[in-house]
Amino acid sequence: KNQVEQSPQSLIILEGKNCTLQCNYTVSPFSNLRWYKQDTGRGPVSLTIMTFSENTKSNGRYTATLDADTKQSSLHITASQLSDSASYICVVSPLSGTYKYIFGTGTRLKVLA
Amino acid sequence: EPEVTQTPSHQVTQMGQEVILRCVPISNHLYFYWYRQILGQKVEFLVSFYNNEISEKSEIFDDQFSVERPDGSNFTLKIRSTKLEDSAMYFCASRALAGGPDTQYFGPGTRLTVL
């Protein structure tokens, strides 16, 4: 069954610190993997996208990595800011005609001053 | 920057009533989606729509659900007879290309509360 699991479930860090969020997936065949940021009560916003041939992708303070062999991805946030407080969701698209998204459980990040 | 819009932002309804959730996708997009997120749970795929027909639907999308693109801009999700367990945040999404890993853009969501 296609699944996407994330850890930790929640995380609290101090402003300015770095953190790394993990994603494991069983989706196969696999098209691409994305990280989305979701503020409370809002729709998800895309941060990064990687296809199976890409190992890393950066977007400002966000850096995503992908190991397609082990089916693992990570999202590293550097120099965290209060506005980074949100849920971070790993989303995998199977290689199918509709490219529907399979969402992970999300990691709820709280950045404290 | 173009964005997906959804109305209403919050809908409260009585169990058994019909509701229609509305979405206006980004204008040049070709694929449209509905997802839902029950409070505290992950986002779940409901249905995808392309070329004026459903291209894929999940097991959640039963006979009580229907989608329609009544004109060139709106994309609607109808729930015929709402149940308590339909209470959730419903997200519409759209993407540009008919193929390839193009990004889905999500609307802000409609919070549906069934009493």
Side-chain angles (χ1 to χ4, degrees), chain B residues 96-115:
Chain B
L97 299 177
D102 201 21
T103 298
Q104 293 180 28
Y105 293 85
F106 285 80
T110 292
R111 180 172 299 283
L112 176 65
T113 302
V114 182
L115 303 176

Side-chain angles (χ1 to χ4, degrees), chain B residues 7-79:
Chain B
T7 55
S9 57
H10 191 188
Q11 174 91 45
V12 181
T13 189
Q14 294 288 329
M15 189 170 57
Q17 295 297 304
E18 174 183 287
V19 295
I20 297 176
L21 310 182
R22 291 183 167 79
C23 168
V24 179
I26 295 173
S27 63
N28 63 342
H29 284 191
L30 301 175
Y31 260 101
F32 312 109
Y33 305 81
W34 282 102
Y35 295 83
R36 80 171 185 191
Q37 185 176 30
I38 295 171
L39 186 64
Q41 297 185 22
K42 63 183 176 182
V43 179
E44 302 171 288
F45 168 77
L46 291 178
V47 66
S48 61
F49 190 86
Y50 172 69
N51 200 25
N52 285 320
E53 61 182 23
I54 291 174
S55 47
E56 186 173 358
K57 61 183 180 179
S58 71
E59 59 273 11
I60 303 168
F61 194 88
D62 60 23
D63 293 343
Q64 293 300 311
F65 291 89
S66 63
V67 289
E68 195 176 39
R69 194 145 192 255
D71 53 43
S73 60
N74 289 286
F75 178 51
T76 63
L77 174 69
K78 182 193 291 185
I79 309 175

Side-chain angles (χ1 to χ4, degrees), chain A residues 1 3-5 31-32 34 36 38 41-46 49 51 89 93 96-106 108, chain B residues 31 33 35 37 40-45 48 55-57 59 89 91 95 98-109 111:
Chain A
K1 183 179 179 182
Q3 285 190 318
V4 181
E5 300 291 336
S31 173
N32 57 78
R34 306 156 194 268
Y36 273 82
Q38 185 180 22
R42 306 293 297 172
V45 175
S46 179
I49 173 176
T51 63
I89 308 174
S93 288
S96 70
T98 63
Y99 294 94
K100 71 179 182 186
Y101 281 2
I102 298 174
F103 282 76
T105 48
R108 186 175 298 278
Chain B
Y31 260 101
Y33 305 81
Y35 295 83
Q37 185 176 30
Q41 297 185 22
K42 63 183 176 182
V43 179
E44 302 171 288
F45 168 77
S48 61
S55 47
E56 186 173 358
K57 61 183 180 179
E59 59 273 11
M89 200 73 167
F91 293 107
R95 73 176 174 92
D102 201 21
T103 298
Q104 293 180 28
Y105 293 85
F106 285 80
R111 180 172 299 283

